[in-house]
Amino acid sequence: MNVEKRDGRGAVGQRAPRSGGRTAAQRTTRDTTATDRREATRGRGAREFPTQGTAALRPAERTRVTGAPAPRLRVAPPAPIRVPRAPFVALILVLVVGGVLGILAVNTKINENAFKLEKLQQQQAKLDVDEQELKKEIAEQKAPGNLTANARRLGLVESEDPAYIRLPDGQTIGVPHPAQGAPSVTSQQGNGG
């Protein structure tokens, strides 16, 4: 489509008017009179000043047309924004797949830790049994009958009449002398050790 047909001008070589301007053809034909212009100005809310007589500066009275009230102005809703669907769908798919993989990784770690925990609990139960056996053995070794047997096995002999030292003044009560008796057959001294 050429420029002449689009602008509605039939003249060849005529330039397009500036924004808000008129072409030469529009300037020559005046189809509006001064009264029509006055009415148009009054409708836009401009004040009109008569220029005849002594009341040249007094504003003219406005005549209001009482008819239907002007429509109430409202804010128009914004134009709908069309977002491309492909990136949105791709984002949702990435989030869903990432969430599923994250849940799978967490469940795998939880199961792995459950197996480790079960193994450690079994090891703890075994160590508890060993501890109880060792405490029982220590209690048996502390018994008075076992102390005497263990002392004889180490080569100790029983003293008949012991001597005592009184701590506050360091005085010895009784006469100390070595114990008389044969060492046990199971002692280390008796084995030549």
Side-chain angles (χ1 to χ4, degrees):
M1 184 172 200
N2 63 20
V3 175
E4 294 171 5
K5 288 182 183 176
R6 186 179 60 211
D7 291 338
R9 292 179 294 186
V12 178
Q14 201 174 32
R15 292 186 315 162
R18 287 179 284 158
S19 174
R22 294 180 297 185
T23 62
Q26 290 172 338
R27 274 187 242 129
T28 57
T29 60
R30 291 187 166 206
D31 52 355
T32 60
T33 62
T35 57
D36 291 339
R37 245 184 278 131
R38 225 178 285 134
E39 292 296 325
T41 306
R42 191 178 297 147
R44 288 192 304 245
R47 297 177 78 179
E48 183 178 316
F49 294 98
T51 57
Q52 294 176 355
T54 59
L57 299 177
R58 185 182 61 179
E61 296 293 323
R62 286 192 188 174
T63 58
R64 290 203 173 205
V65 178
T66 58
R72 187 172 179 186
L73 298 178
R74 291 179 288 148
V75 176
I81 299 172
R82 294 196 53 92
V83 179
R85 288 189 180 190
F88 178 71
V89 171
L91 175 68
I92 295 299
L93 284 175
V94 166
L95 289 175
V96 168
V97 169
V100 168
L101 290 177
I103 290 171
L104 183 64
V106 167
N107 282 341
T108 304
K109 274 294 185 189
I110 288 173
N111 288 338
E112 182 181 324
N113 289 340
F115 286 125
K116 286 181 183 177
L117 181 64
E118 184 180 349
K119 184 178 177 182
L120 289 173
Q121 285 175 344
Q122 290 173 353
Q123 187 177 4
Q124 179 67 37
K126 182 180 180 280
L127 291 174
D128 288 342
V129 169
D130 290 347
E131 180 186 12
Q132 288 177 357
E133 289 177 359
L134 289 174
K135 283 183 178 179
K136 183 180 177 184
E137 188 177 322
I138 289 171
E140 288 175 0
Q141 294 294 329
K142 286 183 179 178
N146 285 334
L147 283 177
T148 306
N150 287 338
R152 286 183 184 264
R153 199 172 345 147
L154 292 175
L156 299 176
V157 290
E158 197 170 333
S159 175
E160 296 163 5
D161 198 15
Y164 300 99
I165 300 174
R166 195 167 50 195
L167 290 179
D169 57 0
Q171 183 180 3
T172 305
I173 301 171
V175 179
H177 55 281
Q180 303 289 327
S184 169
V185 185
T186 60
S187 71
Q188 294 173 357
Q189 291 176 354
N191 290 335

